[in-house]
Amino acid sequence: GNQTWFFQMKNGIDNKTYVSCYGGNSYIHVINQPDSLGIACDFVQKQLYLGSILNGHIQYGSFPNTPNYKLGAINCNVGMEKVTMNDERLTVYPNPCEDKLSIIGYQFSVNTKVEVFDILGQLKLNPAAIPPYQGSKGDFTIDVHGLAAGIYILKTTDDKGYQQVVKFVKE
C-alpha cells in the first residue's frame, strides 16, 4: 500500500546496483545485471526486505557513504626519493607566497639543482625553469607566479648529492 520512491543508487561488491527508497520503506530494490540494457538488467523492485523495528521502518532513504573498493591499485609515490641532508637548514620566505619565493641562508654550489613539486610529487618547476644561482651564500629567489594556489615542496640537491626539502604555500 505504500508508494515507492527511488532515491539513491549504490554499486555493491557483488556487481549489483542497489536502489534505496525514500520515505521510510523497508525494502531495497536491486538491479541484478547493471551492465545489461533494458529489461535484461533484471531490475527487481523490493528485492531485499530490511525488516522493521516496533512497526517503524528502518530504511529512510540514503545509503552510507562508502568508498568504491574496485578502483584498482593506487600509486602513492610522491615522486621524491630518500633525502640525504647536510648540516644547513633550508629556509624560505614569504611563506605563504604569491609570485616570488626566496631561499635564505643556504650555501649553494654552482651545480645546485632546485626543483618544485606539488603535494602529489609531480614536478612543477625544474632546474631548466629556475635560473642558476649566482653567488656563494645568501638569498636566492625563484619565480612561482605560474603555479596554482596550493601546497608545494621545494627540493635542492647540491653537487655532493646532499638534499634539502621544505614545504611552502602558494596563494
Side-chain angles (χ1 to χ4, degrees):
N2 287 346
Q3 191 173 22
T4 299
W5 299 87
F6 302 118
F7 185 56
Q8 190 178 37
M9 300 171 80
K10 198 78 157 174
N11 292 327
I13 61 172
D14 57 358
N15 293 321
K16 296 180 181 183
T17 300
Y18 296 89
V19 183
S20 67
C21 304
Y22 187 77
N25 196 318
S26 295
Y27 293 90
I28 291 181
H29 316 297
V30 180
I31 302 173
N32 291 294
Q33 303 294 326
D35 293 332
S36 299
L37 298 176
I39 60 172
C41 75
D42 190 21
F43 173 74
V44 179
Q45 189 172 349
K46 297 183 179 180
Q47 181 171 334
L48 294 176
Y49 177 66
L50 300 175
S52 62
I53 299 174
L54 300 175
N55 295 325
H57 300 291
I58 62 170
Q59 164 46 1
Y60 290 102
S62 64
F63 289 120
N65 189 12
T66 54
N68 180 354
Y69 293 103
K70 293 185 158 197
L71 294 175
I74 298 174
N75 181 1
C76 294
N77 181 6
V78 295
M80 296 178 63
E81 63 282 345
K82 183 179 176 184
V83 176
T84 307
M85 307 268 294
N86 63 10
D87 292 336
E88 294 185 74
R89 293 287 168 217
L90 186 62
T91 305
V92 295
Y93 79 93
N95 193 4
C97 64
E98 291 182 13
D99 295 328
K100 304 282 184 195
L101 181 70
S102 295
I103 305 167
I104 59 169
Y106 183 74
Q107 181 72 39
F108 287 94
S109 66
V110 175
N111 297 321
T112 297
K113 181 168 66 170
V114 179
E115 298 169 301
V116 175
F117 298 87
D118 65 13
I119 199 69
L120 299 175
Q122 297 174 332
L123 184 64
K124 293 300 180 181
L125 288 177
N126 60 25
I130 300 171
Y133 176 73
Q134 302 295 323
S136 59
K137 186 169 183 159
D139 293 1
F140 176 69
T141 302
I142 59 173
D143 185 3
V144 294
H145 83 277
L147 297 176
I151 299 172
Y152 292 90
I153 300 165
L154 182 132
K155 180 176 93 169
T156 62
T157 308
D158 69 14
D159 54 358
K160 295 177 184 168
Y162 291 117
Q163 300 171 343
Q164 294 286 333
V165 176
V166 66
K167 290 181 189 176
F168 70 93
V169 176
K170 165 73 167 68
E171 291 184 330

